Every structure is written in structure tokens, then in C-alpha cells.
Amino acid sequence: LKEQVQRRHVLSTMLIVLGNVLIVAWGDHKNQKITRSHLLELVGRTPFIVYMICVYSGSVVLGGLECFVRRRYSGDGGRLAVVLFALSSASVGANAAMVLKALSGLLHTYLVDSPKGADPPKPKVVACITVVALLGAAHVAFWLARLNAALKRYPALFIVPLL
């Protein structure tokens, strides 16, 4: 890529790794069963609905601002456009992790923890798992498309830690 690794790149990477270590160290380590009814209860709560509205509408607004800044300031828009691009992409990417965590919990509860010889999951459970899997795939596809676009526009050593 012919990019020089500078001290700020190393420092940024160390801060990202430190943040991940802190998240794992102080994160929730409870092993909770995620059932279809439990997931529907969590998704129906007002704080979650407000959070999702804020994330997705914020992502659209930030993406629009990024396009405006790039057009207004001839082409790339400078660092502001990069930050707006990264924020609009990373917010959806972070939700991909949440959706896929719900999927893994559902799969674990209904496939791994079910006793041998038990009845297969009910159609409602299969439908719920399918919907969550499709939502996860859509989130990941969006984030990968944005990552690909970012790598075409900006230096990799700068944009990848932001995303």
C-alpha cells in the first residue's frame, strides 16, 4: 500500500486494543438463555426502540452530511467528511454485532441446548431465527460495502481504525 506507519497509527491501534480489553474485562459475562419470547420482549422495550430510531436515522443524517460536505468542499471534504463517513458506517456495523449476538443466542438455545431426540423447533422459532439471520446478513453487507468504499477513498491506515 506504500503507506508509512507513523507513531499516531501505533498509538491509535493501542487505544483500540485497550478499549476492547476493557470491554471484555468489565462486560457482562452472564450466560443467559435467549428465547424467542425473551428476544421479542427486549426488542419491544421503549429504550431499545428509541435507540434503534436514533442509530438508523442518525446514520442516514450523517451519511447525508458527508455527501454534502464532499460536494461543498470540492471532492473529498477533508477530515470532516472522513469522520462523518466513519460514524455513519460504524453505527450500523456496531448493530451488526448486536444482531449476530442475538442470532448466536437463539441458535444456542434452540439447537445446542435442546435435549437429544427432542422435537424440532416450532415454525415461529424457525421464522424468528431466519429473520434475525437476514437482519444480521443485511447489517454485515452494508458495513462491508461501506468498508470497501472507504478503502477506495481514504488511506487504509487512517480509515480502518475509525470503522
Side-chain angles (χ1 to χ4, degrees):
L1 295 174
K2 299 178 182 141
E3 294 183 42
Q4 296 294 322
V5 178
Q6 299 174 357
R7 186 178 5 197
R8 66 187 167 117
H9 297 128
V10 174
L11 180 61
S12 298
T13 303
M14 289 172 52
L15 287 173
I16 291 168
V17 170
L18 176 64
N20 287 326
V21 167
L22 293 175
I23 288 170
V24 170
W26 280 283
D28 185 11
H29 292 95
K30 294 180 208 166
N31 188 11
Q32 297 179 352
K33 303 276 186 209
I34 299 177
T35 62
R36 181 184 68 85
S37 59
H38 185 234
L39 184 63
L40 291 174
E41 175 194 330
L42 292 174
V43 169
R45 289 185 182 169
T46 303
F48 181 78
I49 294 169
V50 169
Y51 166 76
M52 294 304 276
I53 290 170
C54 290
V55 165
Y56 291 111
S57 61
S59 181
V60 169
V61 168
L62 290 170
L65 282 173
E66 184 259 337
C67 289
F68 172 76
V69 167
R70 280 193 306 126
R71 285 190 182 120
R72 175 93 164 102
Y73 298 103
S74 66
D76 70 349
R79 298 232 187 240
L80 178 59
V82 177
V83 170
L84 290 171
F85 184 91
L87 286 173
S88 68
S89 303
S91 60
V92 176
N95 276 348
M98 179 183 61
V99 171
L100 294 173
K101 171 71 174 165
L103 177 63
S104 71
L106 284 170
L107 289 173
H108 193 271
T109 298
Y110 288 108
L111 299 178
V112 176
D113 287 347
S114 62
K116 291 186 180 184
D119 292 333
K122 296 177 182 172
K124 287 183 179 180
V125 171
V126 173
C128 181
I129 290 172
T130 303
V131 167
V132 172
L134 291 173
L135 282 172
H139 280 81
V140 170
F142 174 83
W143 188 83
L144 288 175
R146 296 289 284 184
L147 175 63
N148 192 34
L151 290 173
K152 288 179 183 176
R153 290 185 199 167
Y154 309 111
L157 284 174
F158 178 69
I159 195 65
V160 171
L162 285 177
L163 291 175

